[in-house]
Amino acid sequence: MSDQELERIEGAVSAVIFQNEENGYTILKLDVHGEEVTVVGPMAGTAPGEYLSIQGRWTRHPVYGPQMKAEIVDRRLPQSMKEIFHYLSSGAIKGVGKTTARLIIEEFGEDSLTVIEEDPEQLTKIKGITKKRARQIGEVFRQQMGARRLMEFLTEHRLPLELAALLRRAYGDVALEVVKANPYLLVNEEFEVEFSQADALALSLGVGPEDPLRLEAGLVFEMAHNNYSNGHTFLPRRKLVEAASTLLSVSGEQLEDCLDALIRRGEADCEQVAGQEAVYLPALHEAETYIAQRILEMSRAELLPPEGLDRLIRRIEKEQRISYAPQQRQAVELAAGRQVMLLTGGPGTGKTTCLRGVLALFERMGLATALAAPTGRAAKRLGELCNTEASTIHRLLETGFDPRTGKLVFTRNSYDPLKADAVIVDETSMVDVPLMAALLDALRDDCRLVLVGDPDQLPSVGPGSLFADLIRSGVVPTVRLTEIFRQAAQSAIIRNAHLINRGQLPDLCRNEGDFFCLIRREPERVLETIVDLCRRRLPERMGIPAWEIQVLSPTRRRGTGTRALNQVLQTALNPPLEGKGERRFGDWVFRAGDRVMQVRNNYDILWREEGGTDSGMGMFNGDIGVIRSIEKEVITVDFDGKVVEYSPDMLGELEPAFAVTVHKAQGSEYRAVILAALEGAPMLMTRGVLYTAVTRARELFIVVGDPAAVAGMVGNNRQTRRYSGLRARLAEE
């Protein structure tokens, strides 16, 4: 939306109601021609007495009424003696109260603020102000002025005001100088500024188009973007130079010199991998080489199986009232004698039975075993299947957040390893290279590792094709389960999932059992049908309540994407009611009772156990919960028993989750799944996406859409090639 569409109000700040020092989110009262107006938004360091020119949009809070959401803020220091007194007496400057403020103004008049900033020792003219106190007052004010000038700089260059708090946390009082010296720092993960914006800023500040600073920044950006957006661990040197050349509109020859400079300084690594001249960011290079080294060591280790292994396995079979198929027995036997193993197979092939068997065997061997999965929902499901506690990998590693660096840290590592004798990880296809490196670093030298997953599922969001690379290397002891058991074969979900995986189109006209196709060829009809299924048909006819149904779509946008689905589903399933709390944020209205998703990793957010004493840190991208209450400015969300309170400045981390993308549903399982399949980009309408969607359903799967779209997905085995050196590193040894 353009600036012209924003409304403008001006006035003096009469009161600051709330201010978050971490991110600058502020709620204040603005005196606009004698009328007090509530303004909310990132306005770090704002104090009473300041004159603000605000551009923003009007919103309505369900309790507090109309509010102006600030998007552009122009600030002016108090100028009149009345304004200056209001500012100084507000407590904005530590050490200055009403009495001192009055004395300062009586002494220096309209020059008061200039004196405080430029020559604070003059304040000693006032009785009771020592040199030390004067210097302290001056230092506090200069810090505030630094924050103010940073905000003004961001406003001038049309950059998000939220950056002010993040930059000051990272660089302190010199944040503005740091940004001016190297605007490309804004592209870093913690700031998330588009490269084009940072580049435009740099050029406006006098950085030349062929300046090495710009060229090196473009190269680093292309590496990071392709690592964390496209899943590559490296880029071939030729492709990296080509991409950066297009991005920056400069010749490849100029970039080659800059790339060599980055390599010499250790800011990029380059080596021959799998016939490619591979260029890595150092952290990913270190992670990948470490995984290869550690996995190779573990793969070569042959452990002494327990005495009477055959007898032990028969006892486990008896206790669990099963009889292992040959492949299942092979998996349990392999776990007994190898330090690391892979267990893979599609739905209905008995992975869970194997898991339970391996866990029981480890317990018989006296091994303390930890169970983990990449997401909270996957961990919960794993724990339920194995009838024991399971955690996320992040929680297992006691993940924390370093506020000084803004980086993720793991408490458990080689210096303080896990106490577990064995670790079992489910849904390993979702695990990326950095996380696996962190897990391996936290294992004792003699710890066993069992990695379980389905390589035909969608790959990890982060860099690498870890699980598939481990399997394809042929180096790691692996059991692939292929037999579909009779009971599982009775499920059309499982039969059709295997058909899809083989590139065969299921019979969509044969609606039976637990797999149905409802043909709808217009977006409006798709939406209507899905709403009816969730609100009426499935609850009434099949006894499946709405909260046990998950709607999926391959895409976020378009007529049947998750945005459109969430809007109609919220209206149908959780309409507004008098007394039901609401809170508008951006395009969404959050309402008590809404299903919501955490959409970015937050490692320092606090959660507490509902009805218990347990607590911890961290919520992760993909976690789904329900809004329990909205009171005043706080939204309370229950994530399967973990209760989190979100202040207004944190709402950008939440999205409605009545419908989610298939990618976001990885690792989760639902009683019933409804898939909207009508339109979408070819890179999203793929066989892997359809296979993943179908395998999320436990009891019922319904596809609503055009059979031609479903057929197109089955026929589209498009898999974006990921540049990864792990397989080659393992196979070369």
Side-chain angles (χ1 to χ4, degrees), residues 7 36 61 76 172 646:
E7 293 193 47
E36 280 202 334
H61 190 280
R76 172 175 67 75
Y646 289 82

Side-chain angles (χ1 to χ4, degrees), residues 127-407:
K127 187 178 179 181
I129 298 183
T130 63
K131 280 189 177 182
K132 181 180 178 181
R133 187 182 173 195
R135 285 195 292 269
Q136 287 174 337
I137 291 171
E139 179 61 25
V140 170
F141 185 68
R142 281 193 293 273
Q143 287 179 359
Q144 288 189 354
M145 291 302 294
R148 176 188 303 280
R149 290 179 181 122
L150 179 58
M151 293 281 286
E152 290 170 351
F153 176 83
L154 295 174
T155 298
E156 179 187 352
H157 294 282
R158 296 292 188 264
L159 291 165
L161 298 181
E162 293 89 342
L163 284 173
L166 297 173
L167 287 165
R168 286 185 62 80
R169 185 172 69 184
Y171 304 115
D173 295 339
V174 296
L176 180 57
E177 288 71 25
V178 169
V179 172
K180 285 182 175 179
N182 184 5
Y184 297 103
L185 291 170
L186 295 174
V187 182
N188 293 351
E189 186 181 0
E190 62 263 44
F191 307 128
E192 296 184 335
V193 172
E194 295 286 339
F195 183 86
S196 58
Q197 285 183 284
D199 193 39
L201 173 60
L203 293 170
S204 72
L205 294 174
V207 175
E210 298 177 3
D211 191 309
L213 176 69
R214 179 173 186 257
L215 304 189
E216 290 177 7
L219 287 163
V220 171
F221 167 75
E222 282 295 345
M223 283 190 283
H225 172 73
N226 279 282
N227 293 155
Y228 294 97
S229 296
N230 297 330
H232 305 302
T233 61
F234 72 83
L235 281 181
R237 180 168 181 140
R238 177 180 55 80
K239 285 188 174 292
L240 170 59
V241 170
E242 286 175 357
S245 176
T246 302
L247 175 73
L248 301 169
S249 300
V250 297
S251 72
E253 187 176 340
Q254 293 168 292
L255 288 164
E256 290 283 1
D257 293 339
C258 287
L259 181 54
D260 287 336
L262 287 170
I263 294 167
R264 283 195 301 272
R265 296 201 305 268
E267 295 173 35
D269 291 334
C270 185
E271 68 171 303
Q272 288 291 325
V273 178
Q276 302 267 13
E277 191 175 3
V279 185
Y280 289 82
L281 288 176
L284 276 176
H285 184 242
E286 182 182 352
E288 189 178 273
T289 52
Y290 175 71
I291 291 171
Q293 171 214 326
R294 190 72 195 277
I295 289 290
L296 279 169
E297 290 172 357
M298 296 173 75
S299 298
R300 291 164 179 163
E302 293 190 29
L303 307 178
L304 206 62
E307 201 172 318
L309 176 60
D310 188 64
R311 187 174 64 254
L312 267 179
I313 293 175
R314 285 201 304 271
R315 189 179 299 170
I316 292 168
E317 286 179 308
K318 187 176 180 181
E319 289 172 354
Q320 298 187 355
R321 299 180 180 179
I322 54 169
S323 179
Y324 292 134
Q327 290 175 336
Q328 293 176 315
R329 187 178 185 88
Q330 181 192 357
V332 179
E333 289 175 346
L334 193 63
R338 304 305 292 257
Q339 190 177 1
V340 62
M341 66 165 288
L342 311 177
L343 176 63
T344 181
T349 57
K351 289 197 300 294
T352 300
T353 300
C354 288
L355 267 179
R356 290 180 181 139
V358 171
L359 183 60
L361 176 67
F362 286 170
E363 288 174 352
R364 292 277 183 184
M365 295 169 64
L367 303 178
T369 305
L371 273 65
T375 67
R377 293 184 79 85
K380 184 180 180 184
R381 182 167 65 92
L382 176 62
E384 290 169 348
L385 292 172
C386 294
N387 197 30
T388 189
E389 183 181 355
S391 70
T392 63
I393 299 172
H394 286 91
R395 193 176 185 198
L396 183 70
L397 299 177
E398 297 177 27
T399 307
F401 180 79
D402 187 344
R404 296 170 301 171
T405 63
K407 300 292 185 182

Side-chain angles (χ1 to χ4, degrees), residues 78 145-146 221 246 277 383 403 449 459 500 555 571 599 633 678 721:
M145 291 302 294
F221 167 75
T246 302
E277 191 175 3
L449 180 63
I500 291 165
T555 181
T571 301
V599 294
E633 299 292 328
L678 190 62
R721 181 187 175 189

